[in-house]
């Protein structure tokens, strides 16, 4: 889960997904709120009851560990798309 208004939109979506049996991972440094206290309260709520709280770097590390070696090699030589 990522987004703006951690304590309203993101938390509502996370709770809804949890009730539908989704595995919830809220990315703490990819969410924002109007107040740090509200943001932090939602992180505590999610971690305590509805899922896991992670950070972008942790998720990238997990995804990279799961990627086949042949794909990793091609990523280092890939050219950026020019639009």
């Amino acid at each position: 889960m990522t987004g703006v208004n951690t304590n309203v939109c993101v938390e509502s979506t996370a709770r809804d997904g949890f009730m539908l049996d989704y595995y919830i991972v809220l990315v703490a440094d990819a969410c924002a709120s109007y107040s740090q206290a509200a943001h932090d309260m939602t992180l505590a709520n999610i971690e305590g009851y509805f899922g896991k709280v992670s950070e972008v770097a942790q998720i990238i590390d997990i995804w990279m560990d799961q990627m086949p070696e042949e794909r990793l090699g091609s990523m280092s030589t890939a050219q950026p798309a020019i639009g």
Side-chain angles (χ1 to χ4, degrees):
M1 309 287 316
T2 66
V4 180
N5 277 357
T6 312
N7 60 310
V8 181
C9 302
V10 179
E11 184 172 354
S12 295
T13 303
R15 286 174 179 239
D16 206 27
F18 176 81
M19 295 302 174
L20 294 170
D21 290 329
Y22 284 95
Y23 184 83
I24 302 302
V25 178
L26 191 145
V27 189
D29 57 344
C31 293
S33 189
Y34 290 105
S35 82
Q36 188 64 45
H39 176 81
D40 292 342
M41 284 189 331
T42 291
L43 299 182
N45 259 350
I46 296 299
E47 188 68 40
Y49 304 104
F50 301 107
K52 297 293 180 188
V53 174
S54 187
E55 295 196 3
V56 170
Q58 292 171 302
I59 291 174
I60 289 172
D61 287 345
I62 290 167
W63 287 351
M64 294 300 282
D65 287 344
Q66 300 301 311
M67 190 174 290
E69 287 296 321
E70 60 272 9
R71 298 258 338 253
L72 286 173
S74 67
M75 287 178 67
S76 64
T77 60
Q79 297 297 315
I82 299 175

